[in-house]
């Protein structure tokens, strides 16, 4: 779409390009008149990962002038390299996000490139994007802190959404109309470290997440932490190693923080280990352990203890060599290991799991996150629920070929191995979710007093239930948008509805035409009158 075409557009609209068919792939297009923006650009983390549906942009030949990111999770940011590779961005397009989001996205995008390479190679497909696209995308980032900004013709505000480090809601004021995109809302039950949920204030349109909209409240976070600690302590006291598979960003820091708080109560011999991407995310958590991003509890702890690493136990370390990892689970030691991924798919957690089953009679695996259908973590939970003694799973882990059952390529690398895990090793602890449930989402929504709400980021059934719940409690119009559904934004300037310039042009043309007609009629009338006068004279 040329710049002139953009200048003359008379409609402002939102189109839902993703995040409307479940909890993944958030992506919303905002036609702001002279400019085009996206709010979030996430992938569906299935196998293989799926980019957002850009067919709408394609059909209308739209180039994006800027992207606003609510937070780093790949279901909100993983589509960015596709956007770059498929040339949907203008040359000057910037990506606006908080500073920590910018750093976390960098870590996640490089990691997702590795997965993308592996997936496409396994399926004999071409890569959709490569290193250069990630480099270009990262070069477009403009990091900001929570606060108010102006970009082109828009007023923008970012505020804490208490979901992960740097997460925010984004409020955009477009010709007087206020639109808030909630992103993922964590809320007050999670203020153990992140800055408290901020209030976006009055809004006309709210695009709201609904992940746990079918639950009134989340289970107690404090109780969940106590449960995890109890499991850890019991196992270590019995000389059984503990593996906590964890998502590298957020959950790992929470788990390691709770271990740090009670570290002195664990057996002296305990080796506390974290591995993989946790280490990079950890340095972001520590660099941004500031008043801008963390709550008072963390800031007070830092100043009272002089400990600049509040998310890390004193004794914790990251193994750097394979021998170190190999030695950790030799059958003699009883380490406490926190490693990604949380579902035992990828990362270091599958490797440690293999070692545990090989060398130990008893051990503990504590699952604290959502386990997607088909994942190794889900299989463990299902077998436990079905009261099976053991469950056989195939895991993919980085290992030497002689230890693998099935080889993916030659040499040292990711290979497959079948293992049997006793189900009494498996424990699940709920209550760590990074999302608010219905009551907290209602509180947040009440503060924004929206005229219209669009429910996104939720399973279809959940959204329906949440809609009914909100309708009982609010007077807002509530809608569940479909994929690529368009919604027109009524704009107002200084409280009045603005008339778009095209309408004025059309009216002027109409008036001109009418004036010409009047002149014509007046001439005809004059002629007739003159004729009439002449006729009258003759008759006289
Ligand atoms: Zn998220």
């Amino acid at each position: 779409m040329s710049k002139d075409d953009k200048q003359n557009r008379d409609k402002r609209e939102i189109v839902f390009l993703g995040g409307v068919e479940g909890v993944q792939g958030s992506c919303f297009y905002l036609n702001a008149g002279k400019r085009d923006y996206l709010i979030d650009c996430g992938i569906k983390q299935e196998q293989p990962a799926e980019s957002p549906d850009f067919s709408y942009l394609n059909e209308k030949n739209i180039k994006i002038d800027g992207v606003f990111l609510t937070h780093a999770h790949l279901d909100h940011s993983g589509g960015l390299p596709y956007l770059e590779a498929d040339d949907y961005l203008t040359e000057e397009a910037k990506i606006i996000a908080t500073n920590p989001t910018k750093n976390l996205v960098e870590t996640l995008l490089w990691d997702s490139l590795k997965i993308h390479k592996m997936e496409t190679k396994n399926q004999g497909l071409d890569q959709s994007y490569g290193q250069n696209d990630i480099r270009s995308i990262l070069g477009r980032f403009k990091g900001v802190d929570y606060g108010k900004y102006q970009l082109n013709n828009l007023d923008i505000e970012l505020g804490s959404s208490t979901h992960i480090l740097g997460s925010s809601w984004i409020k955009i004021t477009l010709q007087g109309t206020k639109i808030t995109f909630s992103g993922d809302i964590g809320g007050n039950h999670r203020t153990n470290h992140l800055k408290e949920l901020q209030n976006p204030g009055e809004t006309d349109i709210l695009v709201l997440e609904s992940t746990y909209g079918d639950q009134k409240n989340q289970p107690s976070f404090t109780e969940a932490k106590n449960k995890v600690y109890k499991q850890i302590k019991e196992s270590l006291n019995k000389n059984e190693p503990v593996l906590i598979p964890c998502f590298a960003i957020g959950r790992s820091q929470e788990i390691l923080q709770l271990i740090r708080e009670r570290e002195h109560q664990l057996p002296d011999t305990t080796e506390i280990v974290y591995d993989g991407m946790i280490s990079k995310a950890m340095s972001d958590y520590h660099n941004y352990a500031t008043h801008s991003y963390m709550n008072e509890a963390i800031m007070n702890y830092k100043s009272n203890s002089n400990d600049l690493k509040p998310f890390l136990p004193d004794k914790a370390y990251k193994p750097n060599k394979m021998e170190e990892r190999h030695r950790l689970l030799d059958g003699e030691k009883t380490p406490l290991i926190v490693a990604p991924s949380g579902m035992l798919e990828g990362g270091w957690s599958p490797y440690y799991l293999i070692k545990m089953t090989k060398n130990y009679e008893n051990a503990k695996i504590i699952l604290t996150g959502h386990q997607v259908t088909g994942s190794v973590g889900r299989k463990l939970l299902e077998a436990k629920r079905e009261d099976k003694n053991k469950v056989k799973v195939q895991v993919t882990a980085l290992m030497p070929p002689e230890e693998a059952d099935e080889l993916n390529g030659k040499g040292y690398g990711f290979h497959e191995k079948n293992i049997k895990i006793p189900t009494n090793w498996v424990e699940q602890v709920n209550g760590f979710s990074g999302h608010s449930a219905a009551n907290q989402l209602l509180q947040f929504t009440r503060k924004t007093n929206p005229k219209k709400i669009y429910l996104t980021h939720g399973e279809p059934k959940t959204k329906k239930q949440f809609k009914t719940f909100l309708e009982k409690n609010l007077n807002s119009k509530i809608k569940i948008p479909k994929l690529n559904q368009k919604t027109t934004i009524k704009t107002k300037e200084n409280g009045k509805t603005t008339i778009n310039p095209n309408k004025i042009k059309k009216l002027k043309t109409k008036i001109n035409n009418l004036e010409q007609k009047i002149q014509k009629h007046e001439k005809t009338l004059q002629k007739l009158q003159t004729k009439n006068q002449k006729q009258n004279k003759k008759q006289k």
Side-chain angles (χ1 to χ4, degrees):
M1 186 176 286
S2 76
K3 276 192 179 162
D4 282 349
D5 287 340
K6 288 192 185 195
Q7 295 284 340
N8 290 328
R9 282 190 307 202
D10 58 359
K11 263 189 194 155
R12 311 285 178 267
E13 55 194 6
I14 299 171
V15 185
F16 297 88
L17 307 186
V20 289
E21 295 176 314
V23 297
Q24 302 218 43
S26 281
C27 188
F28 313 119
Y29 160 67
L30 175 69
N31 164 353
K34 291 178 188 153
R35 313 262 182 180
D36 298 279
Y37 300 98
L38 290 182
I39 293 85
D40 283 344
C41 186
I43 46 168
K44 286 189 187 173
Q45 287 168 282
E46 278 150 9
Q47 285 170 336
E50 227 182 87
S51 88
D53 181 359
F54 295 133
S55 56
Y56 185 85
L57 304 182
N58 211 13
E59 273 164 31
K60 306 262 170 179
N61 196 19
I62 293 166
K63 291 257 177 180
I64 298 296
D65 298 293
V67 184
F68 301 102
L69 279 196
T70 60
H71 65 289
H73 280 151
L74 286 172
D75 61 326
H76 295 256
S77 72
L80 291 172
Y82 294 86
L83 209 58
E84 185 76 73
D86 296 342
D87 204 23
Y88 284 112
L89 295 169
T90 63
E91 217 172 293
E92 316 81 49
K94 289 267 172 286
I95 298 162
I96 313 290
T98 63
N99 288 304
T101 297
K102 176 183 161 215
N103 287 5
L104 294 171
V105 165
E106 186 173 351
T107 311
L108 286 173
L109 285 188
W110 284 120
D111 188 64
S112 78
L113 175 64
K114 275 191 230 159
I115 297 166
H116 181 61
K117 270 185 181 166
M118 207 162 74
E119 280 175 353
T120 45
K121 195 181 156 196
N122 288 348
Q123 294 180 335
L125 300 169
D126 288 335
Q127 276 178 231
S128 304
Y129 64 90
Q131 278 185 22
N132 289 341
D133 299 311
I134 295 193
R135 265 189 217 113
S136 309
I137 277 291
L138 295 174
R140 290 177 183 274
F141 265 82
K142 186 177 173 350
V144 296
D145 285 325
Y146 295 133
K148 290 181 180 174
Y149 302 92
Q150 271 204 318
L151 180 80
N152 303 326
N153 57 340
L154 297 181
D155 288 317
I156 305 143
E157 188 179 353
L158 286 84
S160 170
S161 74
T162 328
H163 173 61
I164 57 164
L165 175 63
S167 67
S168 62
W169 45 255
I170 293 172
K171 183 175 179 179
I172 295 173
T173 307
L174 177 61
Q175 290 182 299
T177 298
K178 298 178 174 74
I179 311 158
T180 302
F181 296 86
S182 75
D184 289 355
I185 299 279
N188 296 330
H189 67 296
R190 307 191 38 81
T191 46
N192 67 319
H193 67 278
L194 294 174
K195 193 179 180 72
E196 291 78 4
L197 182 61
Q198 291 176 314
N199 174 11
E202 288 282 319
T203 203
D204 297 291
I205 299 171
L206 175 65
V207 177
L208 180 64
E209 74 122 320
S210 354
T211 320
Y212 287 93
D214 57 348
Q215 282 179 31
K216 283 279 154 66
N217 294 296
Q218 287 287 13
S220 152
F221 186 57
T222 315
E223 246 170 63
K225 288 209 297 185
N226 290 342
K227 266 188 209 166
V228 167
Y229 178 71
K230 195 170 161 251
Q231 296 286 351
I232 292 173
K233 202 173 175 202
E234 270 174 20
S235 301
L236 294 176
N237 283 343
K238 286 191 275 178
N239 289 324
E240 294 166 8
V242 179
L243 173 63
I244 311 182
C246 258
F247 187 58
I249 294 172
R251 188 64 47 83
S252 299
Q253 287 72 30
E254 278 168 350
I255 296 289
L256 283 158
Q257 188 200 2
L258 91 85
I259 297 170
R260 195 263 298 147
E261 284 166 353
R262 310 174 207 197
E263 189 177 3
H264 58 280
Q265 294 172 39
L266 298 175
D268 286 343
T269 50
T270 308
E271 288 194 47
I272 305 170
V273 170
Y274 61 98
D275 210 344
M277 229 164 60
I278 295 176
S279 134
K280 172 72 178 63
M282 192 59 96
S283 58
D284 288 327
Y285 266 75
H286 287 143
N287 288 339
Y288 290 101
T290 61
H291 284 287
S292 300
Y293 293 100
M294 297 287 167
N295 69 3
E296 285 307 305
I298 290 289
M299 297 318 292
N300 288 340
Y301 168 78
K302 266 180 81 173
S303 61
N304 294 338
S305 66
N306 274 333
D307 181 2
L308 297 177
K309 296 180 171 177
F311 296 100
L312 215 51
D314 283 345
K315 283 205 293 184
Y317 72 95
K318 181 193 175 301
N320 290 312
K321 289 182 182 154
M322 271 321 270
E323 298 132 57
E324 275 183 81
R325 293 188 178 98
H326 186 78
R327 187 184 53 80
L328 262 173
L329 288 162
D330 60 1
E332 296 297 321
K333 293 182 198 64
T334 53
L336 165 55
I337 301 169
V338 183
S341 85
M343 296 186 279
L344 293 155
E345 297 275 345
W348 286 106
S349 58
Y351 171 83
Y352 289 118
L353 184 64
I354 293 170
K355 289 278 156 199
M356 277 171 130
T357 51
K358 198 175 163 208
N359 298 333
Y360 291 81
E361 284 278 312
N362 281 305
K364 193 64 61 191
I365 304 156
I366 306 173
L367 299 170
T368 64
H370 179 65
Q371 308 294 319
V372 166
T373 310
S375 65
V376 174
R378 180 68 165 257
K379 284 174 191 156
L380 302 189
L381 290 180
E382 280 166 1
K384 191 179 169 76
R385 245 172 252 146
E386 287 160 18
D387 263 343
K388 288 181 183 157
N389 287 332
K390 280 194 171 189
V391 52
K392 194 177 160 188
V393 287
Q394 189 180 61
V395 291
T396 307
L398 198 62
M399 59 185 140
E402 62 271 18
E403 288 183 28
D405 294 340
E406 281 172 49
L407 300 182
N408 290 321
K410 283 178 196 161
Y412 210 95
F414 281 96
H415 301 301
E416 271 143 33
K417 189 161 183 78
N418 294 301
I419 50 174
K420 275 186 191 162
I421 301 156
T423 53
N424 63 3
W425 287 19
V426 183
E427 293 294 339
Q428 184 185 29
V429 180
N430 292 321
F432 281 89
S433 168
H435 294 268
S436 277
N439 277 331
Q440 290 95 39
L441 288 172
L442 173 66
Q443 268 177 30
F444 174 80
T445 305
R446 274 205 173 114
K447 287 179 188 157
T448 67
N449 193 24
K451 291 184 187 73
K452 270 190 192 169
I453 301 172
Y454 292 91
L455 295 182
T456 61
H457 205 284
E459 295 302 334
K461 247 175 113 181
T462 308
K463 279 187 283 193
K464 260 191 189 171
Q465 237 174 291
F466 189 37
K467 183 174 184 269
T468 315
F469 171 77
L470 289 178
E471 277 166 346
K472 271 186 203 156
N473 289 285
L474 299 167
N475 291 321
S476 320
K477 255 194 198 165
I478 303 167
K479 298 194 171 174
I480 299 175
K482 291 195 176 75
L483 189 68
N484 286 327
Q485 189 172 316
K486 223 192 270 184
T487 173
T488 306
I489 305 163
K490 278 188 194 149
T491 54
K492 48 189 177 180
E493 202 81 81
N494 305 324
K496 286 176 202 151
T497 305
T498 49
I499 298 161
N500 76 54
N502 271 4
K503 257 192 187 168
I504 295 175
K505 231 186 185 176
K506 274 183 197 166
L507 278 173
K508 276 186 180 164
T509 322
K510 259 191 189 172
I511 291 169
N512 267 341
N513 289 343
L514 282 172
E515 275 171 351
Q516 277 173 12
K517 266 189 190 169
I518 291 170
Q519 275 177 7
K520 224 172 133 188
H521 287 314
E522 271 175 347
K523 270 183 193 168
T524 323
L525 182 68
Q526 254 178 6
K527 270 184 195 168
L528 282 172
Q529 276 174 341
T530 325
K531 233 184 182 179
N532 198 22
Q533 273 174 1
K534 278 180 187 168
Q535 265 182 3
N536 280 347
K537 269 185 188 173
K538 267 185 193 171
Q539 276 174 10
K540 276 178 188 173

